[in-house]
Amino acid sequence: MPYLDTLETRAPAARLAAQLAALPAQIAHAKAHSPAYAALLADIEPAAITSLAALAGLPLTRKSALIAAQQAAPPFGGFAVLAPGQAARLFASPGPIYEPQGHGDDFWRLSRALYAAGVRAGDLVHNAFSYHFTPGGFMLDAGARALGCAVFPAGPGQTELQVAALRDLGASAYTGTPSFLKLILEKADQLGVALPRLNKALVSGEALPASLRAWFAARGIAVLQCYATADLGLIAYETAPDQGMVIDEGVLLEIVRPGSGEPLPAGEIGEVVVTTFNRDYPLLRFATGDLSALIDTPSPCGRSNLRIKGWLGRADQSTKVKGMFVHPEQVHAVTQRHPAVRRARLVVTQHEQLDVMTLHAEVGDQHDSSLAANLAASLREVCKLRGEVVLCAPGSLPADGKIIDDARSLA
């Protein structure tokens, strides 16, 4: 069967209706059992959140703010429903950011991505994601075992031992980063070891250039990618090379304008914001800090969910100017004061070793002659820094998701 289940091919309207029907209960659950969401959603009536527009009215939960939240209310910042002693496992990602693993099989839902990559019951999966501190190894391990696979918990490092295990055990699938798979295969070449049974891989954690994918294909290994995080589990996954990533059935995904939380139409680059239906860790409108764009045309594989273009950069574009931090949210606050501005980008440069801020603002033909001066005043008031303003024509700024462009030379 080409699909893990019938959820993947249901009518898009039926999927959205089912997710929206489940949304009020999930929000009510988070509000009732998560202290952080009890505070964030104090004025929200969960029963009223029955549309994407209503969902967009909820505040964002920023991944970048979790460190401070967890330090103030250890260990999970009040966002998890589970107490530490109730979790199956606890993990620490760089930051540190602590994450709980709840109970049940395939907690992070990675089986869907593995199935799309060709992994089936009876495969032996050589899992080179780390089982140490971070949940990466356990995420893929749980997904593979949910499919009926055996797993060799290789972890990273020790390439010679990795080659020996692949040779002796005959794993047919690899999970890990693409660069580490390349290192293993190059070590196998050095040792004169053939690995004929290894024919598929699901990779994540770093970029997969087309040249490297082709290098794997030339060796008989079909490699696909997935996009997952320790907090959210699976977000999206490839079903074929260069066709974007299909959004997982267990999340609601928005692409929003960085700094504002305003949903963007398909094709526009913005920040990936995810709402999960996980009862143990019910993250709502979780702003990942990653940039991507929606693809709303049908996937050639037959799966009916929306797709994203994959990872297109970082939305966390805060930078320091004259010793003070400037954030995308501040740029948005400036433009919100002036409805004539359609889109803006703050460019930071240097002139004679001094920082210079220039706000480029797209405006139509009809605008007040004092707009530039008023924008400069708002910029100074909001950011506490002086900056220049350049008015430009609609569509003249690159549609790449950047709100702040730090163009200073680091040389």
Side-chain angles (χ1 to χ4, degrees):
M1 186 173 77
Y3 310 114
L4 179 63
D5 53 35
T6 57
L7 295 178
E8 295 181 354
T9 55
R10 57 184 162 168
R15 173 184 295 106
L16 181 58
Q19 290 178 325
L20 292 177
L23 194 54
Q26 180 70 353
I27 294 170
H29 174 74
K31 188 174 178 179
H33 299 286
S34 158
Y37 281 119
L40 280 172
L41 307 178
D43 298 326
I44 300 296
E45 174 50 57
I49 312 302
T50 57
S51 68
L52 292 178
L55 176 64
L58 299 185
L60 295 177
T61 299
R62 293 205 164 275
K63 181 165 186 166
S64 58
L66 279 185
I67 296 175
Q70 292 189 351
Q71 288 174 348
F76 305 127
F79 287 97
V81 169
L82 293 173
Q86 296 173 324
R89 294 183 181 90
L90 285 75
F91 299 97
S93 295
I97 296 176
Y98 296 100
E99 302 101 4
Q101 177 188 351
H103 298 277
D105 296 335
D106 198 15
F107 177 74
W108 297 277
R109 309 178 312 282
L110 264 296
S111 58
R112 195 172 298 281
L114 286 160
Y115 195 91
V119 178
R120 298 292 184 270
D123 276 322
L124 172 58
V125 177
H126 187 96
N127 186 15
F129 280 112
S130 176
Y131 287 77
H132 178 65
F133 268 70
T134 63
F138 289 96
M139 292 168 70
L140 274 297
D141 191 300
R145 289 189 296 110
L147 292 177
C149 303
V151 179
F152 178 71
Q158 299 178 300
T159 52
E160 192 164 331
L161 291 177
Q162 302 269 359
V163 171
L166 282 162
R167 177 198 61 205
D168 297 342
L169 300 176
S172 51
Y174 165 91
T175 52
T177 63
S179 61
F180 190 55
L181 177 57
K182 186 172 188 287
L183 287 174
I184 292 173
L185 296 175
E186 288 173 338
K187 176 61 71 172
D189 290 344
Q190 293 174 13
L191 298 173
V193 174
L195 302 172
R197 296 193 62 183
L198 185 62
N199 57 27
K200 51 188 168 281
L202 179 67
V203 300
S204 191
E206 61 188 32
L208 174 62
S211 58
L212 183 55
R213 197 196 305 256
W215 188 84
F216 291 134
R219 303 177 71 104
I221 304 173
V223 179
L224 294 179
Q225 307 174 81
C226 71
Y227 172 29
T229 71
D231 332 87
L232 299 164
L234 182 64
I235 298 172
Y237 57 99
E238 282 190 322
T239 62
D242 306 317
Q243 297 291 336
M245 291 185 172
V246 177
I247 297 171
D248 178 53
E249 297 293 327
V251 301
L252 258 175
L253 185 146
E254 303 167 85
I255 300 294
V256 308
R257 194 178 306 283
S260 76
E262 169 197 350
L264 293 172
E268 284 205 39
I269 298 173
E271 184 173 10
V272 177
V273 170
V274 177
T275 295
T276 75
F277 293 91
N278 185 323
R279 303 288 281 180
D280 294 329
Y281 200 23
L283 295 172
L284 307 174
R285 299 206 81 212
F286 189 72
T288 63
D290 294 325
L291 291 176
S292 192
L294 283 172
I295 305 171
D296 61 357
T297 54
S299 174
C301 71
R303 291 170 177 84
S304 59
N305 208 346
L306 294 171
R307 290 174 290 157
I308 58 173
K309 291 185 178 179
W311 188 81
L312 299 177
R314 291 292 294 169
D316 293 339
Q317 300 158 18
S318 300
T319 192
K320 188 174 281 189
V321 181
K322 297 179 181 178
M324 294 181 64
F325 276 106
V326 180
H327 306 281
E329 293 84 355
Q330 293 173 298
V331 178
H332 176 67
V334 170
T335 59
Q336 284 293 96
R337 297 184 177 190
H338 306 277
V341 177
R342 303 182 183 183
R343 180 185 293 181
R345 172 179 294 201
L346 187 70
V347 179
V348 184
T349 56
Q350 275 192 331
H351 179 67
E352 296 180 351
Q353 298 184 333
L354 295 176
D355 293 338
V356 177
M357 291 196 319
T358 304
L359 182 69
H360 297 257
E362 290 186 3
V363 296
D365 294 333
Q366 303 297 321
H367 62 269
D368 193 284
S369 59
S370 62
L371 178 59
N374 291 338
L375 274 168
S378 294
L379 187 66
R380 183 171 62 252
E381 184 177 339
V382 172
C383 299
K384 313 304 180 188
L385 294 164
R386 293 183 181 274
E388 301 174 8
V389 172
V390 173
L391 303 183
C392 49
S396 60
L397 295 177
D400 56 6
K402 277 192 177 181
I403 301 299
I404 298 177
D405 183 7
D406 191 339
R408 292 172 290 189
S409 172
L410 298 180

